[in-house]
Amino acid sequence: MKNSLGRELPDAEMKELNYQPFESTEIGHPVISRVAPKVRVSTGDDKVVSSVDEVIKDVLKDGMTISFHHHFRDGDFVFNIVMDRIIKLGYKDLTLAPSSLTNVMNDKVIEAIKAGTVTNITTSGMRGELGEQVSHGLLKNPVIFRSHGNRARSIENGNIKIDVAFLGVPNADRLGNANGMEGDSAFGSMGYALIDAKYANKVVLLTDTLVDYPNTPASIEQTQVDYVVKVDRVGDPDRIGSGATRFTKDPKELKIARMVNDVITHSPYFKQDFSFQTGTGGAALAVTKFLGESMKKAGITAAFTCGGTTSPIVDLLEAGLVKKVMDVQDFDKGAASSMKSNRDQAEIDASWYADPENKGAMVDQLDVCILSALEIDTDFNVNVLTGSNGEIRGAVGGHQDAGTAKMTIISAPLTRGRIATIVPSVNSVSTPGASIDVLVTEVGIAINPARQDLVDAFSKVPSLPIVSIEELQKRAEATVGKPAPVEYTDRVVGLVEYRDGSLIDAIKQVKD
C-alpha cells in the first residue's frame, strides 16, 4: 500500500494497528469523543510515600503503559531513577510512552529493552546509541513516532492509554499541587506533563522540594495526583539547553539567518500583531535576534510567539516587541525563570499548543514558523527523524504541527560536511511538502510552486536569490557526490504518524 506521498506502507502493521494512509494535511471538522482517566477516590491528608519502590509495587503490572516528560532534556534524573527500579523489580512487556526521549535516557532504555522490560515505545523521537540500536532491530515491535500535538490528541482520544505517569516536578506539597517555576530544579512550563497528569490512570509526582500545603499556583493539581515521592534531586536545569540553544558564530548559519529574516520581513505577514515561532539552534536564535531588530526598526510588535521558549524570545517580550509568549516548553534556564516573574509568558499544555482535533490550537493561529531539517527533497517533503545512513537520530517534535503556519520556512544549509541536505527523495517523511512554503539555504531560496504569491513578493527583493529546489538539489549533489543508497531489510522498526494519526511513513531496519 502507498499513501498520497507515494511512501510504501507495511500491510501487516496497517491492518494490525488499524491505520489509515496519510492523504492530506487538511484535518476537516470531525466530531471527536474523548476519554477520561480512572480515578481512585482519595480523602486522605497525605499522599507522600517513602520510596520509589513502594509506589512501583503498588501501581505497576506487566504489560502496562508508563509515561514521562522531557522538560529537563539532558538534565533529567527522574527517568533513570524510576526505570532502574522497574528493571530491577522484574517487570515485563511495558509500553514506554514519554513525550520524548533524550540522550541521557538512552542507556537505561537499551537496558530495559534487553531485559524484556520494554517491548513497545511511542515517542516524539530518539537519538544516539538508542536510535542506532533500534534502527538495527533491537526492539521487538516498531516504535511509533508522534508529533507533540498528535501525542496530545492520541492521549485524549484513548489511542495512548497511560496507566502510570511518573512526572518529575521541582516542587510539590503533600497532596500533589505542583508547578515548574519554583525550587532549585525549576524548569518553567510543564506543557507536556500536563496532558499526562490529566489523563493517566495513576499519577506519581517525584520532587526534591516538598513545600507547605496548599502550593499555588498549581499547574498540576491535587485532584490529579495519586502519589508524591521525595527524591534527592529531580534534575539539573543548567543542562536543559545542552547545546541546543547556543548562539551561532558560523558565517554560513548567520547568512542563512539573515536571509530568513529577509524572507519574513518582505512577506505579507510582517505587520502589526503578526505571530511567529522560531525554534532553537544557532541559526534560529540568530533569526530571533535579527527579527527583533527588524520589528523595532519597522515600529511593529508581534501579538504572540508559541512553542518552545528561549531567552532571546524572552528578551523580545521584555523589550515590548512581543505581547504574549504562549509557552509549552522552556529551552534554557533564562526562559524558565522568566515564567515566574512575567505574567505575559503563559504556560499552555500540548493540546492547546498543537492538538489538531480540539476546538482551536495555537499553531493554527501562526503567521510564520521557522523549522529545521535533516533532509528536504524536491517535493519539499522534510525528514527530521533519520540520518543519511537510515538510522533514527531525531524527533518529529512540533515540526508537523507548526507546519500549519501561513508561511512555513525551512532553514538549512545546502550540505552538512559531505552530506547533502537537499535530496531527490528523503529517507523518511516527517512533514509533508504541502506544509512547506520556503526553503532558505546559504546559496539561495526555493519557494514551493504552490505559493505563487510568495514568488511574486520575493522576486522584487535583491537579497533573496530565488532558485528552484531542483537546482539546489543538483548543486548539493555536485558538491558532495551521489551517495550509495541505504540498504534495508524488510522488517519495520518505526512507524511515523502524521498529526491526525494517519500513517505518513514507515522506517525499515538498516542492514548490518
Side-chain angles (χ1 to χ4, degrees):
M1 181 182 294
K2 291 185 179 182
N3 60 22
S4 64
L5 302 179
R7 310 300 290 195
E8 291 188 1
L9 306 177
D11 292 335
E13 284 80 2
M14 291 285 290
K15 184 176 180 180
E16 180 184 352
L17 299 174
N18 196 30
Y19 272 124
Q20 296 298 313
F22 169 80
E23 293 296 337
S24 170
T25 58
E26 297 296 323
I27 303 297
H29 302 282
V31 176
I32 304 300
S33 295
R34 288 184 169 171
V35 299
K38 296 178 181 178
V39 176
R40 181 178 63 179
V41 176
S42 173
T43 56
D45 294 330
D46 198 334
K47 297 175 183 175
V48 178
V49 294
S50 60
S51 70
V52 174
D53 277 22
E54 181 183 343
V55 172
I56 292 172
K57 290 175 182 177
D58 197 26
V59 301
L60 201 58
K61 295 179 181 179
D62 290 351
M64 282 186 165
T65 296
I66 59 175
S67 74
F68 301 82
H69 69 73
H70 72 291
H71 286 283
F72 278 115
R73 295 169 65 83
D74 281 342
D76 187 278
F77 297 161
V78 165
F79 181 88
N80 288 336
I81 290 171
V82 174
M83 286 306 302
D84 182 71
R85 299 313 307 156
I86 289 174
I87 294 167
K88 286 181 169 57
L89 289 169
Y91 289 93
K92 302 295 182 183
D93 293 321
L94 300 180
T95 294
L96 186 60
S99 52
S100 198
L101 289 167
T102 61
N103 288 327
V104 74
M105 305 171 181
N106 285 353
D107 289 347
K108 197 56 65 175
V109 178
I110 291 170
E111 182 183 346
I113 293 171
K114 290 180 175 178
T117 301
V118 169
T119 51
N120 290 279
I121 297 176
T122 177
T123 181
S124 168
M126 58 177 59
R127 298 172 173 84
E129 181 70 15
L130 175 61
E132 180 181 337
Q133 292 206 29
V134 168
S135 299
H136 288 268
L138 175 68
L139 188 64
K140 178 180 178 181
N141 298 305
V143 178
I144 297 177
F145 292 101
R146 293 179 166 103
S147 72
H148 292 320
N150 184 23
R151 180 179 188 265
R153 183 198 70 87
S154 299
I155 291 171
E156 290 171 323
N157 70 16
N159 284 351
I160 300 174
K161 190 57 192 174
I162 301 171
D163 293 296
V164 187
F166 295 96
L167 305 178
V169 294
N171 61 77
D173 63 29
R174 56 184 169 82
L175 289 183
N177 297 298
N179 64 64
M181 295 175 284
E182 306 281 352
D184 292 339
S185 302
F187 56 77
S189 175
M190 301 179 73
Y192 299 127
L194 298 181
I195 291 295
D196 302 59
K198 289 177 184 176
Y199 285 91
N201 287 335
K202 296 285 178 64
V203 175
V204 180
L205 299 189
L206 296 94
T207 188
D208 50 21
T209 305
L210 283 171
V211 299
D212 292 340
Y213 178 87
N215 181 26
T216 61
S219 299
I220 294 175
E221 302 170 5
Q222 65 188 66
T223 56
Q224 301 166 323
V225 177
D226 296 277
Y227 301 88
V228 178
V229 186
K230 175 73 162 58
V231 295
D232 291 336
R233 200 172 181 202
V234 291
D236 180 359
D238 288 327
R239 291 167 59 190
I240 292 173
S242 297
T245 56
R246 62 176 175 80
F247 280 93
T248 185
K249 295 181 180 179
D250 182 85
K252 183 191 294 185
E253 288 189 337
L254 287 172
K255 183 177 181 181
I256 292 172
R258 290 190 185 279
M259 291 175 69
V260 170
N261 184 61
D262 284 348
V263 167
I264 296 171
T265 57
H266 288 91
S267 76
Y269 307 108
F270 188 65
K271 56 188 177 182
Q272 180 60 34
D273 289 332
F274 80 112
S275 57
F276 66 91
Q277 178 174 320
T278 54
T280 63
L285 295 185
V287 170
T288 304
K289 178 178 180 292
F290 296 151
L291 186 57
E293 293 169 354
S294 296
M295 290 164 63
K296 188 174 182 180
K297 184 177 179 180
I300 65 173
T301 55
F304 72 89
T305 69
C306 73
T309 302
T310 60
S311 288
I313 290 290
V314 171
D315 291 342
L316 298 185
L317 178 68
E318 293 177 347
L321 294 171
V322 170
K323 294 178 182 178
K324 300 281 183 180
V325 173
M326 308 303 285
D327 189 350
V328 72
Q329 179 183 23
D330 292 296
F331 279 100
D332 58 53
K333 195 172 181 179
S337 62
S338 174
M339 272 199 67
K340 181 178 177 181
S341 58
N342 198 324
R343 61 179 293 178
D344 290 325
Q345 185 174 340
E347 179 180 57
I348 61 174
D349 67 25
S351 178
W352 187 358
Y353 169 52
D355 179 358
E357 292 182 352
N358 63 19
K359 296 181 180 180
M362 290 304 303
V363 293
D364 297 332
Q365 303 302 313
L366 276 173
D367 290 313
V368 178
C369 179
I370 299 96
L371 300 170
S372 60
L374 291 174
E375 295 178 318
I376 181 170
D377 67 25
T378 51
D379 290 321
F380 286 85
N381 298 311
V382 174
N383 167 26
V384 291
L385 263 179
T386 56
S388 60
N389 61 358
E391 293 177 352
I392 300 164
R393 49 157 298 184
V396 179
H399 206 281
Q400 299 171 351
D401 303 314
T404 61
K406 295 180 180 68
M407 183 175 68
T408 300
I409 303 166
I410 297 296
S411 164
L414 191 71
T415 61
R416 293 186 177 94
R418 297 297 301 171
I419 298 171
T421 304
I422 299 90
V423 295
S425 179
V426 292
N427 277 331
S428 61
V429 177
S430 308
T431 301
S435 294
I436 309 305
D437 300 300
V438 185
L439 165 64
V440 179
T441 74
E442 74 276 18
V443 299
I445 72 169
I447 303 170
N448 192 318
R451 295 302 305 270
Q452 185 60 44
D453 59 325
L454 297 181
V455 174
D456 294 341
F458 300 145
S459 61
K460 305 167 187 174
V461 184
S463 62
L464 296 176
I466 299 174
V467 295
S468 71
I469 197 166
E470 290 82 5
E471 183 179 339
L472 289 176
Q473 185 272 315
K474 289 176 182 176
R475 184 164 177 176
E477 187 174 296
T479 302
V480 299
K482 190 173 183 178
V486 179
E487 294 188 31
Y488 299 97
T489 71
D490 291 332
R491 183 173 178 236
V492 174
V493 297
L495 298 167
V496 187
E497 292 188 6
Y498 186 60
R499 60 195 301 260
D500 64 356
S502 62
L503 197 61
I504 198 168
D505 212 346
I507 301 170
K508 291 188 175 181
Q509 180 176 328
V510 178
K511 273 189 179 180
D512 293 324

PDB file of all heavy atoms in Angstrom, residues 360-389:
ATOM      1  N   GLY A 360      -9.467  24.433  18.785  1.00  0.00           N
ATOM      2  CA  GLY A 360      -8.593  25.520  18.366  1.00  0.00           C
ATOM      3  C   GLY A 360      -7.233  25.431  19.016  1.00  0.00           C
ATOM      4  O   GLY A 360      -7.117  25.562  20.234  1.00  0.00           O
ATOM      5  N   ALA A 361      -6.175  25.187  18.203  1.00  0.00           N
ATOM      6  CA  ALA A 361      -4.804  25.101  18.714  1.00  0.00           C
ATOM      7  C   ALA A 361      -4.039  26.373  18.371  1.00  0.00           C
ATOM      8  O   ALA A 361      -4.345  27.054  17.395  1.00  0.00           O
ATOM      9  CB  ALA A 361      -4.094  23.888  18.102  1.00  0.00           C
ATOM     10  N   MET A 362      -3.027  26.692  19.183  1.00  0.00           N
ATOM     11  CA  MET A 362      -2.229  27.891  18.947  1.00  0.00           C
ATOM     12  C   MET A 362      -1.540  27.850  17.585  1.00  0.00           C
ATOM     13  O   MET A 362      -1.423  28.875  16.911  1.00  0.00           O
ATOM     14  CB  MET A 362      -1.167  28.053  20.042  1.00  0.00           C
ATOM     15  CG  MET A 362      -1.691  28.431  21.417  1.00  0.00           C
ATOM     16  SD  MET A 362      -2.680  29.953  21.469  1.00  0.00           S
ATOM     17  CE  MET A 362      -1.560  31.145  20.784  1.00  0.00           C
ATOM     18  N   VAL A 363      -1.073  26.668  17.171  1.00  0.00           N
ATOM     19  CA  VAL A 363      -0.347  26.590  15.900  1.00  0.00           C
ATOM     20  C   VAL A 363      -1.229  26.993  14.720  1.00  0.00           C
ATOM     21  O   VAL A 363      -0.728  27.449  13.683  1.00  0.00           O
ATOM     22  CB  VAL A 363       0.236  25.181  15.659  1.00  0.00           C
ATOM     23  CG1 VAL A 363       1.339  24.872  16.659  1.00  0.00           C
ATOM     24  CG2 VAL A 363      -0.858  24.111  15.686  1.00  0.00           C
ATOM     25  N   ASP A 364      -2.539  26.845  14.879  1.00  0.00           N
ATOM     26  CA  ASP A 364      -3.446  27.229  13.793  1.00  0.00           C
ATOM     27  C   ASP A 364      -3.511  28.741  13.601  1.00  0.00           C
ATOM     28  O   ASP A 364      -4.027  29.212  12.584  1.00  0.00           O
ATOM     29  CB  ASP A 364      -4.853  26.691  14.067  1.00  0.00           C
ATOM     30  CG  ASP A 364      -4.903  25.175  14.100  1.00  0.00           C
ATOM     31  OD1 ASP A 364      -4.059  24.550  13.426  1.00  0.00           O
ATOM     32  OD2 ASP A 364      -5.765  24.613  14.796  1.00  0.00           O
ATOM     33  N   GLN A 365      -3.000  29.488  14.575  1.00  0.00           N
ATOM     34  CA  GLN A 365      -3.019  30.945  14.507  1.00  0.00           C
ATOM     35  C   GLN A 365      -1.670  31.533  14.103  1.00  0.00           C
ATOM     36  O   GLN A 365      -1.524  32.754  14.036  1.00  0.00           O
ATOM     37  CB  GLN A 365      -3.439  31.523  15.861  1.00  0.00           C
ATOM     38  CG  GLN A 365      -4.791  31.028  16.363  1.00  0.00           C
ATOM     39  CD  GLN A 365      -5.902  31.322  15.381  1.00  0.00           C
ATOM     40  OE1 GLN A 365      -6.021  32.438  14.871  1.00  0.00           O
ATOM     41  NE2 GLN A 365      -6.734  30.321  15.090  1.00  0.00           N
ATOM     42  N   LEU A 366      -0.689  30.676  13.827  1.00  0.00           N
ATOM     43  CA  LEU A 366       0.655  31.165  13.495  1.00  0.00           C
ATOM     44  C   LEU A 366       0.699  31.769  12.089  1.00  0.00           C
ATOM     45  O   LEU A 366       0.214  31.174  11.132  1.00  0.00           O
ATOM     46  CB  LEU A 366       1.668  30.026  13.566  1.00  0.00           C
ATOM     47  CG  LEU A 366       2.253  29.672  14.930  1.00  0.00           C
ATOM     48  CD1 LEU A 366       3.089  28.416  14.819  1.00  0.00           C
ATOM     49  CD2 LEU A 366       3.076  30.823  15.482  1.00  0.00           C
ATOM     50  N   ASP A 367       1.323  32.922  11.985  1.00  0.00           N
ATOM     51  CA  ASP A 367       1.587  33.512  10.670  1.00  0.00           C
ATOM     52  C   ASP A 367       2.864  32.956  10.067  1.00  0.00           C
ATOM     53  O   ASP A 367       2.907  32.597   8.887  1.00  0.00           O
ATOM     54  CB  ASP A 367       1.703  35.040  10.790  1.00  0.00           C
ATOM     55  CG  ASP A 367       0.376  35.692  11.103  1.00  0.00           C
ATOM     56  OD1 ASP A 367      -0.614  35.348  10.440  1.00  0.00           O
ATOM     57  OD2 ASP A 367       0.331  36.542  12.001  1.00  0.00           O
ATOM     58  N   VAL A 368       3.916  32.889  10.878  1.00  0.00           N
ATOM     59  CA  VAL A 368       5.240  32.497  10.378  1.00  0.00           C
ATOM     60  C   VAL A 368       5.863  31.468  11.307  1.00  0.00           C
ATOM     61  O   VAL A 368       5.782  31.601  12.525  1.00  0.00           O
ATOM     62  CB  VAL A 368       6.181  33.722  10.276  1.00  0.00           C
ATOM     63  CG1 VAL A 368       7.571  33.302   9.811  1.00  0.00           C
ATOM     64  CG2 VAL A 368       5.601  34.774   9.353  1.00  0.00           C
ATOM     65  N   CYS A 369       6.479  30.464  10.724  1.00  0.00           N
ATOM     66  CA  CYS A 369       7.209  29.474  11.512  1.00  0.00           C
ATOM     67  C   CYS A 369       8.517  29.136  10.817  1.00  0.00           C
ATOM     68  O   CYS A 369       8.542  28.965   9.592  1.00  0.00           O
ATOM     69  CB  CYS A 369       6.371  28.217  11.694  1.00  0.00           C
ATOM     70  SG  CYS A 369       7.214  26.941  12.640  1.00  0.00           S
ATOM     71  N   ILE A 370       9.599  29.041  11.580  1.00  0.00           N
ATOM     72  CA  ILE A 370      10.900  28.646  11.048  1.00  0.00           C
ATOM     73  C   ILE A 370      11.253  27.281  11.622  1.00  0.00           C
ATOM     74  O   ILE A 370      11.268  27.085  12.852  1.00  0.00           O
ATOM     75  CB  ILE A 370      12.009  29.656  11.398  1.00  0.00           C
ATOM     76  CG1 ILE A 370      11.680  31.033  10.803  1.00  0.00           C
ATOM     77  CG2 ILE A 370      13.354  29.190  10.867  1.00  0.00           C
ATOM     78  CD1 ILE A 370      11.015  31.964  11.773  1.00  0.00           C
ATOM     79  N   LEU A 371      11.524  26.313  10.754  1.00  0.00           N
ATOM     80  CA  LEU A 371      11.843  24.958  11.160  1.00  0.00           C
ATOM     81  C   LEU A 371      13.168  24.525  10.528  1.00  0.00           C
ATOM     82  O   LEU A 371      13.628  25.117   9.560  1.00  0.00           O
ATOM     83  CB  LEU A 371      10.736  23.997  10.714  1.00  0.00           C
ATOM     84  CG  LEU A 371       9.334  24.276  11.257  1.00  0.00           C
ATOM     85  CD1 LEU A 371       8.300  23.399  10.547  1.00  0.00           C
ATOM     86  CD2 LEU A 371       9.284  24.041  12.763  1.00  0.00           C
ATOM     87  N   SER A 372      13.739  23.464  11.065  1.00  0.00           N
ATOM     88  CA  SER A 372      14.980  22.922  10.519  1.00  0.00           C
ATOM     89  C   SER A 372      14.683  21.621   9.784  1.00  0.00           C
ATOM     90  O   SER A 372      13.538  21.172   9.720  1.00  0.00           O
ATOM     91  CB  SER A 372      15.986  22.684  11.645  1.00  0.00           C
ATOM     92  OG  SER A 372      15.456  21.754  12.581  1.00  0.00           O
ATOM     93  N   ALA A 373      15.718  20.990   9.236  1.00  0.00           N
ATOM     94  CA  ALA A 373      15.544  19.729   8.521  1.00  0.00           C
ATOM     95  C   ALA A 373      16.859  18.976   8.460  1.00  0.00           C
ATOM     96  O   ALA A 373      17.919  19.586   8.297  1.00  0.00           O
ATOM     97  CB  ALA A 373      15.035  19.984   7.103  1.00  0.00           C
ATOM     98  N   LEU A 374      16.798  17.659   8.614  1.00  0.00           N
ATOM     99  CA  LEU A 374      17.943  16.821   8.277  1.00  0.00           C
ATOM    100  C   LEU A 374      18.044  16.685   6.761  1.00  0.00           C
ATOM    101  O   LEU A 374      19.137  16.721   6.195  1.00  0.00           O
ATOM    102  CB  LEU A 374      17.797  15.434   8.918  1.00  0.00           C
ATOM    103  CG  LEU A 374      17.906  15.367  10.442  1.00  0.00           C
ATOM    104  CD1 LEU A 374      17.582  13.964  10.933  1.00  0.00           C
ATOM    105  CD2 LEU A 374      19.285  15.791  10.911  1.00  0.00           C
ATOM    106  N   GLU A 375      16.874  16.516   6.124  1.00  0.00           N
ATOM    107  CA  GLU A 375      16.793  16.434   4.671  1.00  0.00           C
ATOM    108  C   GLU A 375      15.512  17.108   4.198  1.00  0.00           C
ATOM    109  O   GLU A 375      14.511  17.117   4.922  1.00  0.00           O
ATOM    110  CB  GLU A 375      16.719  14.979   4.196  1.00  0.00           C
ATOM    111  CG  GLU A 375      17.906  14.106   4.441  1.00  0.00           C
ATOM    112  CD  GLU A 375      17.630  12.687   3.934  1.00  0.00           C
ATOM    113  OE1 GLU A 375      16.519  12.173   4.149  1.00  0.00           O
ATOM    114  OE2 GLU A 375      18.546  12.108   3.319  1.00  0.00           O
ATOM    115  N   ILE A 376      15.533  17.642   3.001  1.00  0.00           N
ATOM    116  CA  ILE A 376      14.327  18.082   2.317  1.00  0.00           C
ATOM    117  C   ILE A 376      14.463  17.677   0.861  1.00  0.00           C
ATOM    118  O   ILE A 376      15.547  17.780   0.282  1.00  0.00           O
ATOM    119  CB  ILE A 376      14.087  19.602   2.479  1.00  0.00           C
ATOM    120  CG1 ILE A 376      12.793  20.023   1.774  1.00  0.00           C
ATOM    121  CG2 ILE A 376      15.281  20.403   1.996  1.00  0.00           C
ATOM    122  CD1 ILE A 376      12.364  21.456   2.098  1.00  0.00           C
ATOM    123  N   ASP A 377      13.392  17.153   0.273  1.00  0.00           N
ATOM    124  CA  ASP A 377      13.510  16.681  -1.097  1.00  0.00           C
ATOM    125  C   ASP A 377      12.855  17.637  -2.088  1.00  0.00           C
ATOM    126  O   ASP A 377      12.321  18.687  -1.707  1.00  0.00           O
ATOM    127  CB  ASP A 377      12.995  15.239  -1.239  1.00  0.00           C
ATOM    128  CG  ASP A 377      11.495  15.085  -1.018  1.00  0.00           C
ATOM    129  OD1 ASP A 377      10.734  16.061  -1.218  1.00  0.00           O
ATOM    130  OD2 ASP A 377      11.072  13.960  -0.661  1.00  0.00           O
ATOM    131  N   THR A 378      12.917  17.285  -3.334  1.00  0.00           N
ATOM    132  CA  THR A 378      12.461  18.191  -4.386  1.00  0.00           C
ATOM    133  C   THR A 378      10.937  18.340  -4.425  1.00  0.00           C
ATOM    134  O   THR A 378      10.422  19.173  -5.170  1.00  0.00           O
ATOM    135  CB  THR A 378      12.966  17.728  -5.765  1.00  0.00           C
ATOM    136  OG1 THR A 378      12.644  16.349  -5.959  1.00  0.00           O
ATOM    137  CG2 THR A 378      14.477  17.917  -5.857  1.00  0.00           C
ATOM    138  N   ASP A 379      10.232  17.554  -3.623  1.00  0.00           N
ATOM    139  CA  ASP A 379       8.793  17.749  -3.422  1.00  0.00           C
ATOM    140  C   ASP A 379       8.512  18.518  -2.135  1.00  0.00           C
ATOM    141  O   ASP A 379       7.364  18.596  -1.701  1.00  0.00           O
ATOM    142  CB  ASP A 379       8.063  16.400  -3.388  1.00  0.00           C
ATOM    143  CG  ASP A 379       8.028  15.727  -4.747  1.00  0.00           C
ATOM    144  OD1 ASP A 379       7.853  16.447  -5.758  1.00  0.00           O
ATOM    145  OD2 ASP A 379       8.183  14.496  -4.808  1.00  0.00           O
ATOM    146  N   PHE A 380       9.573  19.038  -1.503  1.00  0.00           N
ATOM    147  CA  PHE A 380       9.513  19.808  -0.263  1.00  0.00           C
ATOM    148  C   PHE A 380       9.153  18.950   0.956  1.00  0.00           C
ATOM    149  O   PHE A 380       8.895  19.485   2.035  1.00  0.00           O
ATOM    150  CB  PHE A 380       8.546  21.004  -0.377  1.00  0.00           C
ATOM    151  CG  PHE A 380       9.100  22.130  -1.212  1.00  0.00           C
ATOM    152  CD1 PHE A 380       8.959  22.125  -2.590  1.00  0.00           C
ATOM    153  CD2 PHE A 380       9.768  23.193  -0.626  1.00  0.00           C
ATOM    154  CE1 PHE A 380       9.471  23.148  -3.377  1.00  0.00           C
ATOM    155  CE2 PHE A 380      10.286  24.227  -1.399  1.00  0.00           C
ATOM    156  CZ  PHE A 380      10.132  24.209  -2.775  1.00  0.00           C
ATOM    157  N   ASN A 381       9.118  17.618   0.810  1.00  0.00           N
ATOM    158  CA  ASN A 381       8.945  16.755   1.985  1.00  0.00           C
ATOM    159  C   ASN A 381      10.173  16.878   2.886  1.00  0.00           C
ATOM    160  O   ASN A 381      11.300  16.945   2.389  1.00  0.00           O
ATOM    161  CB  ASN A 381       8.775  15.298   1.564  1.00  0.00           C
ATOM    162  CG  ASN A 381       7.551  15.083   0.714  1.00  0.00           C
ATOM    163  OD1 ASN A 381       6.456  15.528   1.064  1.00  0.00           O
ATOM    164  ND2 ASN A 381       7.718  14.393  -0.409  1.00  0.00           N
ATOM    165  N   VAL A 382       9.948  16.884   4.193  1.00  0.00           N
ATOM    166  CA  VAL A 382      11.035  17.086   5.151  1.00  0.00           C
ATOM    167  C   VAL A 382      11.219  15.848   6.025  1.00  0.00           C
ATOM    168  O   VAL A 382      10.252  15.212   6.456  1.00  0.00           O
ATOM    169  CB  VAL A 382      10.764  18.313   6.043  1.00  0.00           C
ATOM    170  CG1 VAL A 382      11.821  18.438   7.132  1.00  0.00           C
ATOM    171  CG2 VAL A 382      10.736  19.578   5.200  1.00  0.00           C
ATOM    172  N   ASN A 383      12.476  15.529   6.284  1.00  0.00           N
ATOM    173  CA  ASN A 383      12.859  14.451   7.193  1.00  0.00           C
ATOM    174  C   ASN A 383      13.613  15.052   8.374  1.00  0.00           C
ATOM    175  O   ASN A 383      14.641  15.706   8.191  1.00  0.00           O
ATOM    176  CB  ASN A 383      13.751  13.448   6.454  1.00  0.00           C
ATOM    177  CG  ASN A 383      14.457  12.472   7.380  1.00  0.00           C
ATOM    178  OD1 ASN A 383      13.982  12.180   8.473  1.00  0.00           O
ATOM    179  ND2 ASN A 383      15.602  11.967   6.939  1.00  0.00           N
ATOM    180  N   VAL A 384      13.089  14.842   9.585  1.00  0.00           N
ATOM    181  CA  VAL A 384      13.813  15.245  10.794  1.00  0.00           C
ATOM    182  C   VAL A 384      14.055  14.045  11.714  1.00  0.00           C
ATOM    183  O   VAL A 384      14.453  14.208  12.860  1.00  0.00           O
ATOM    184  CB  VAL A 384      13.059  16.347  11.578  1.00  0.00           C
ATOM    185  CG1 VAL A 384      13.061  17.649  10.811  1.00  0.00           C
ATOM    186  CG2 VAL A 384      11.630  15.925  11.916  1.00  0.00           C
ATOM    187  N   LEU A 385      13.836  12.833  11.190  1.00  0.00           N
ATOM    188  CA  LEU A 385      13.926  11.627  12.029  1.00  0.00           C
ATOM    189  C   LEU A 385      15.145  10.770  11.753  1.00  0.00           C
ATOM    190  O   LEU A 385      15.767  10.263  12.681  1.00  0.00           O
ATOM    191  CB  LEU A 385      12.668  10.770  11.836  1.00  0.00           C
ATOM    192  CG  LEU A 385      11.556  10.917  12.859  1.00  0.00           C
ATOM    193  CD1 LEU A 385      10.379  10.017  12.500  1.00  0.00           C
ATOM    194  CD2 LEU A 385      12.046  10.591  14.258  1.00  0.00           C
ATOM    195  N   THR A 386      15.477  10.550  10.477  1.00  0.00           N
ATOM    196  CA  THR A 386      16.544   9.606  10.162  1.00  0.00           C
ATOM    197  C   THR A 386      17.704  10.291   9.449  1.00  0.00           C
ATOM    198  O   THR A 386      17.508  11.210   8.653  1.00  0.00           O
ATOM    199  CB  THR A 386      16.015   8.459   9.278  1.00  0.00           C
ATOM    200  OG1 THR A 386      15.411   9.003   8.097  1.00  0.00           O
ATOM    201  CG2 THR A 386      14.990   7.627  10.032  1.00  0.00           C
ATOM    202  N   GLY A 387      18.903   9.809   9.730  1.00  0.00           N
ATOM    203  CA  GLY A 387      20.099  10.358   9.111  1.00  0.00           C
ATOM    204  C   GLY A 387      20.328   9.791   7.725  1.00  0.00           C
ATOM    205  O   GLY A 387      19.580   8.930   7.241  1.00  0.00           O
ATOM    206  N   SER A 388      21.387  10.239   7.093  1.00  0.00           N
ATOM    207  CA  SER A 388      21.697   9.805   5.731  1.00  0.00           C
ATOM    208  C   SER A 388      22.015   8.317   5.663  1.00  0.00           C
ATOM    209  O   SER A 388      21.938   7.704   4.594  1.00  0.00           O
ATOM    210  CB  SER A 388      22.873  10.615   5.183  1.00  0.00           C
ATOM    211  OG  SER A 388      24.028  10.422   5.997  1.00  0.00           O
ATOM    212  N   ASN A 389      22.372   7.708   6.806  1.00  0.00           N
ATOM    213  CA  ASN A 389      22.650   6.270   6.844  1.00  0.00           C
ATOM    214  C   ASN A 389      21.405   5.453   7.186  1.00  0.00           C
ATOM    215  O   ASN A 389      21.487   4.239   7.381  1.00  0.00           O
ATOM    216  CB  ASN A 389      23.766   5.959   7.846  1.00  0.00           C
ATOM    217  CG  ASN A 389      23.403   6.369   9.268  1.00  0.00           C
ATOM    218  OD1 ASN A 389      22.339   6.924   9.523  1.00  0.00           O
ATOM    219  ND2 ASN A 389      24.303   6.103  10.201  1.00  0.00           N
TER     220      ASN A 389
END
